Amino acid sequence: MENDAIAKSLKLYIVLSRAYKAINEHVNKVIQASGLNPTEFAVLELLYHKGDQPMQQIGGKILLASGSITYVVDKLEQKGLLIRVACPSDRRVTYAQITDEGKKFIQDIFPEHAAQIDRLMSSLTDSEKTEAIDLLKKLGLPAGKF
Amino acid sequence: MENDAIAKSLKLYIVLSRAYKAINEHVNKVIQASGLNPTEFAVLELLYHKGDQPMQQIGGKILLASGSITYVVDKLEQKGLLIRVACPSDRRVTYAQITDEGKKFIQDIFPEHAAQIDRLMSSLTDSEKTEAIDLLKKLGLPAGKF
DNA sequence: CTAAATTATCTCGATTTCAAAGTTATTATA
DNA sequence: TATAATAACTTTGAAATCGAGATAATTTAG
């Protein structure tokens, strides 16, 4: 029945939402204990792992409106964790660049962050995680969707 | 290596987040086109499918703070989609109850909502969906986690 | 029966996020 | 060049959410 197929998709949506929210709730606790909010952490981690980023691209990568980027970058700059750097070749562009203090901050936090995520994923075996990664990858790129 | 295991958990966290956000972005568009925001929709759908709910339990089921429940229920009440009903046996308790107008609203929206979710899940085969449901269920109940 | 503890809801203020409009710089067209 | 179109970033104001405290009702202990 086509109805069963739709019901299964709905079920998948529900368990996907639950899993994400359950995991995230705990991940965010660790982050917030560090004094940053989840968005600030995401920006700083992006800069740490991927290098300098133009302001606008930050929004694309962590799904944030342009107005919010300015706000978050302001906060992180005030805390001394990043600085704005003008782009030499295009004066419209400003890069966000992590500072040494910011790097130190991530280095302090990240191991516990990663360990927490690993704990939260421990209900799956190693090979189940591999399966789940493959399945979720397909869901993550809704190509010709509407 | 233990490090590979942690790396795999991190990878799973990333693809889980991406999948959820990608799906949700599109689901929310359909909901918002109906004139409700995602939270309002979640509350109304809960009442439609599960019947009257005490205010407090709404918060538990859709993960919302008590202060927010009052706000959302106010909005839905103003729109005539639900009403507050005093509990006869415990005067501290207020039930939220969907109105006929609210039911009609859900009946109008839900088929498209479900169809959209089904489209967004169409990158998985039926049996892959079953696999994904089983795996995500395990992730969704972080029992003795910290 | 009274006092204390608990429970349900609401109010209030702060935080976060977004959308829309504004500013400034660059690029394309004539 | 001008002029217009585009692009990057900022500002502003509103909406959503939360946390903490307030209010009111109920239950429990003594």
Side-chain angles (χ1 to χ4, degrees):
Chain A
M1 304 262 254
E2 187 206 313
N3 237 351
D4 286 353
I6 291 187
K8 185 172 284 192
S9 293
L10 285 173
K11 177 75 181 168
L12 177 50
Y13 178 63
I14 291 169
V15 296
L16 173 65
S17 300
R18 287 240 175 88
Y20 174 77
K21 287 177 185 170
I23 301 284
N24 232 47
E25 184 184 359
H26 293 276
V27 169
N28 286 346
K29 272 181 193 159
V30 171
I31 291 173
Q32 286 172 333
S34 78
L36 297 188
N37 70 37
T39 307
E40 291 170 337
F41 180 82
V43 171
L44 203 59
E45 195 207 340
L46 176 69
L47 298 182
Y48 182 84
H49 284 115
K50 308 280 177 165
D52 303 358
Q53 303 284 326
M55 301 274 291
Q56 205 185 34
Q57 292 196 27
I58 295 174
K61 297 201 178 168
I62 67 174
L63 201 52
L64 209 55
S66 80
S68 307
I69 302 164
T70 299
Y71 176 80
V72 174
V73 169
D74 281 351
K75 300 283 288 298
L76 288 169
E77 196 166 27
Q78 284 159 22
K79 293 179 185 177
L81 301 177
L82 65 74
I83 54 170
R84 284 174 162 89
V85 177
C87 173
S89 62
D90 186 337
R91 278 198 287 168
R92 295 169 306 176
V93 176
T94 305
Y95 287 98
Q97 181 178 72
I98 192 168
T99 61
D100 287 344
E101 195 182 341
K103 288 179 190 169
K104 195 162 153 297
F105 188 92
I106 291 289
Q107 283 158 5
D108 284 350
I109 300 307
F110 201 79
E112 171 56 17
H113 173 70
Q116 171 73 322
I117 289 173
D118 193 50
R119 277 195 292 277
L120 291 165
M121 298 299 183
S122 66
S123 49
L124 297 187
T125 66
D126 198 73
S127 66
E128 283 175 331
K129 287 177 195 172
T130 303
E131 282 179 61
I133 288 169
D134 291 341
L135 292 167
L136 289 171
K137 260 188 193 165
K138 293 188 189 176
L139 280 183
L141 14 109
K145 294 308 173 320
F146 171 66
Chain B
M1 307 261 252
E2 187 205 311
N3 236 352
D4 286 353
I6 291 186
K8 184 171 285 191
S9 293
L10 284 173
K11 176 75 181 168
L12 177 50
Y13 178 64
I14 290 169
V15 295
L16 173 64
S17 300
R18 287 241 174 89
Y20 173 77
K21 287 177 186 170
I23 301 284
N24 230 48
E25 184 184 359
H26 293 277
V27 168
N28 287 346
K29 271 182 193 159
V30 171
I31 291 172
Q32 286 173 332
S34 78
L36 297 189
N37 69 37
T39 307
E40 291 169 338
F41 181 81
V43 170
L44 203 60
E45 194 207 340
L46 175 69
L47 298 183
Y48 183 84
H49 285 115
K50 309 278 177 165
D52 303 359
Q53 302 284 326
M55 301 276 290
Q56 203 185 34
Q57 292 196 28
I58 295 174
K61 296 200 180 170
I62 65 173
L63 201 52
L64 209 56
S66 81
S68 307
I69 302 164
T70 300
Y71 175 80
V72 174
V73 169
D74 281 351
K75 299 284 288 298
L76 288 169
E77 195 166 27
Q78 285 160 19
K79 293 178 185 178
L81 301 177
L82 65 73
I83 54 171
R84 282 174 163 89
V85 177
C87 173
S89 62
D90 186 336
R91 278 197 288 167
R92 294 170 307 178
V93 176
T94 305
Y95 287 97
Q97 181 178 73
I98 192 167
T99 62
D100 287 344
E101 195 181 341
K103 287 179 190 168
K104 196 163 152 295
F105 188 93
I106 291 289
Q107 284 158 5
D108 284 351
I109 300 306
F110 201 79
E112 170 56 16
H113 173 69
Q116 171 73 322
I117 289 172
D118 194 49
R119 276 195 293 276
L120 291 165
M121 298 299 183
S122 66
S123 49
L124 297 188
T125 67
D126 198 73
S127 67
E128 284 175 329
K129 287 177 196 173
T130 304
E131 282 180 61
I133 288 169
D134 290 341
L135 292 167
L136 290 170
K137 261 188 193 164
K138 293 187 191 178
L139 280 183
L141 12 109
K145 296 307 175 324
F146 173 56

